[in-house]
Amino acid sequence: MNILPEIKKIKELNLPFVAFRKPNEKQLTLIRQNTSDLFVFDDFSAKGYVFAPFDSSKEAYILQADAVYSEHIDFGDFDDNNLEVVSNKDDERLHVKKVTKAIATIQQTEMSKIVISRKEKVESSKLDVFLVFKKLLNKYSNAYTYMWFHPKVGMWIGATPETLLNVKGANFTTMSLAGTQYFKGNLNPCWGTKEIQEQQMVSDYIREFLQNNVSKLMFSDVETVKAGNLLHLKTTITGVLKSTNDMQRLVEYLHPTPAVCGLPKEKAKNYILKNEGYDRSFYTGYLGTLNLFDTTDLYVNIRCFSITNKEVYLYVGGGITEFSSPDKEWLETVVKSETIKSVF
């Protein structure tokens, strides 16, 4: 089966579906739900495809896997190293103001990191979402690339480099991913104090919980990884769950990760909900298969955009610490924004 034309057919029928490809794999999978029912996700023993928001007090959803298709694809990775970085002065002033306030808050409180994000409206009159999805598959071969649709929610498309949790049997894998810089042809760049500290905060947070709750815990060395035109610092973390209930506890502990929220988590999350100025919705939530294909594969929903009522928004952000520069933080969001928009 050729999945891309099948996706169009299902969309024309206005039925829920998700199409996705895992990082560094060649298999494109399509899951279709046969009714337009909207199922709330509240049971980790269920089977299906989960789509959860940033704010866990709001409803998460699960698609039923009524039909599953897969095919081998062979898209390559390519770069857009000459992006035209366009800056909107009104957006810049507002974002710099929010970052400056976050830095001051970090200096005056026990919070050590706050992630500040923004959403940006994209010209959509000529947008072909299926072509965009194909370009994402081609551009981000090492990311989790997806297209998710439900007629009662809307459409989300993205290519995220961040794993929340992979579980197969009792074995699990997660990651500490943070720090960002633009790829300039060198996979071994110099990293600043701010980025190194930011990534270490995430690793320390994960270690604090896992070291007393799982067995055979291992942290890899920190490495530089490439996602499109951006570089990040990553530590791969593996271990063994002690019981079947530990998966839910681990997801609830990890989400939202310090990489997309901050530290301490609850204080940073409350600050974001009060001060960020918009509803993140499913941006920085998580998505993926739950108890399907003998595994659970969940990813953090970043590098994404939403399409609702023909309005397209993309979402970008960055981790703020005491070492942050408001102007540099703004530029980081612009580079991330242009990287995503390059597929338009």
Side-chain angles (χ1 to χ4, degrees):
M1 168 181 284
N2 192 331
I3 283 183
L4 292 175
E6 186 67 21
I7 293 173
K8 291 184 180 181
K9 293 179 184 178
I10 298 172
K11 177 64 172 63
E12 289 170 358
L13 293 171
N14 214 30
L15 289 173
F17 71 87
V18 62
F20 62 90
R21 186 202 54 204
K22 295 181 184 180
N24 302 308
E25 293 192 3
K26 299 292 186 180
Q27 181 170 293
L28 180 62
T29 300
L30 171 62
I31 293 175
R32 185 191 73 207
Q33 182 176 295
N34 288 339
T35 72
S36 60
D37 294 330
L38 187 59
F39 296 103
V40 173
F41 167 61
D42 56 8
D43 180 6
F44 275 83
S45 67
K47 291 185 178 182
Y49 193 97
V50 174
F51 206 62
F54 166 72
D55 185 356
S56 53
S57 69
K58 297 186 175 182
E59 287 185 338
Y61 303 116
I62 184 167
L63 295 187
Q64 305 299 307
D66 294 325
V68 179
Y69 313 94
S70 64
E71 71 170 334
H72 180 90
I73 56 175
D74 194 17
F75 294 140
D77 201 17
F78 68 86
D79 298 315
D80 290 326
N81 289 325
N82 297 309
L83 288 177
E84 180 184 0
V85 178
V86 180
S87 182
N88 181 295
K89 290 301 180 183
D90 290 336
D91 289 347
E92 180 178 359
R93 280 190 289 269
L94 180 59
H95 192 75
V96 166
K97 183 179 179 180
K98 291 180 181 178
V99 170
T100 302
K101 182 179 179 180
I103 294 171
T105 301
I106 290 168
Q107 292 170 343
Q108 297 164 11
T109 68
E110 64 175 306
M111 283 187 280
S112 56
K113 176 181 177 179
I114 304 170
V115 175
I116 298 297
S117 70
R118 61 185 179 89
K119 75 175 184 178
E120 179 179 333
K121 192 170 185 178
V122 178
E123 170 57 42
S124 59
S125 60
K126 298 180 180 179
L127 185 65
D128 181 341
V129 294
F130 301 103
L131 179 58
V132 167
F133 182 52
K134 187 174 181 180
K135 286 182 177 180
L136 280 175
L137 289 167
N138 197 56
K139 183 181 177 72
Y140 294 100
S141 63
N142 59 349
Y144 182 84
T145 307
Y146 77 91
M147 173 188 279
W148 183 95
F149 171 74
H150 196 292
K152 296 178 181 177
V153 179
M155 177 175 284
W156 285 74
I157 303 176
T160 174
E162 185 174 356
T163 299
L164 180 71
L165 186 66
N166 167 270
V167 179
K168 189 173 180 64
N171 298 302
F172 75 88
T173 302
T174 185
M175 68 170 59
S176 164
L177 186 80
T180 301
Q181 63 173 282
Y182 191 55
F183 175 63
K184 298 179 180 178
N186 179 16
L187 287 171
N188 295 290
C190 293
W191 288 93
T193 300
K194 183 261 181 181
E195 290 77 20
I196 294 172
Q197 181 197 57
E198 183 186 353
Q199 197 268 343
Q200 187 62 50
M201 286 179 185
V202 180
S203 296
D204 291 344
Y205 172 81
I206 296 173
R207 185 189 300 274
E208 181 179 356
F209 175 80
L210 292 182
Q211 63 187 359
N212 296 318
N213 290 283
V214 304
S215 58
K216 299 182 180 179
L217 181 62
M218 294 186 65
F219 282 67
S220 73
D221 293 335
V222 180
E223 60 177 327
T224 297
V225 294
K226 182 172 174 286
N229 303 310
L230 301 177
L231 300 177
H232 306 286
L233 290 168
K234 183 183 85 168
T235 300
T236 301
I237 303 160
T238 60
V240 178
L241 300 175
K242 293 181 178 179
S243 75
T244 55
N245 294 327
D246 283 349
M247 182 172 70
Q248 179 174 350
R249 291 180 60 224
L250 187 49
V251 170
E252 290 173 348
Y253 179 80
L254 292 174
H255 172 67
T257 70
V260 299
C261 181
L263 288 168
K265 185 173 77 169
E266 287 305 316
K267 290 184 181 296
K269 180 180 176 182
N270 289 335
Y271 180 92
I272 289 167
L273 294 175
K274 183 178 179 180
N275 294 281
E276 203 166 49
Y278 81 103
D279 181 5
R280 287 189 181 187
S281 184
F282 295 97
Y283 168 62
T284 63
Y286 63 89
L287 71 163
T289 55
L290 180 74
N291 302 315
L292 287 179
F293 321 120
D294 298 321
T295 64
T296 290
D297 274 304
L298 302 177
Y299 296 81
V300 181
N301 194 21
I302 57 176
R303 309 295 147 75
C304 60
F305 57 95
S306 64
I307 306 169
T308 307
N309 299 324
K310 296 185 178 180
E311 289 189 330
V312 180
Y313 289 95
L314 63 82
Y315 302 78
V316 287
I320 312 304
T321 72
E322 61 181 321
F323 296 106
S324 291
S325 158
D327 291 334
K328 288 182 180 179
E329 294 296 339
W330 162 253
L331 184 58
E332 179 179 318
T333 69
V334 172
V335 171
K336 288 177 178 177
S337 167
E338 295 303 318
T339 298
I340 300 169
K341 286 190 289 188
S342 68
V343 298
F344 295 165

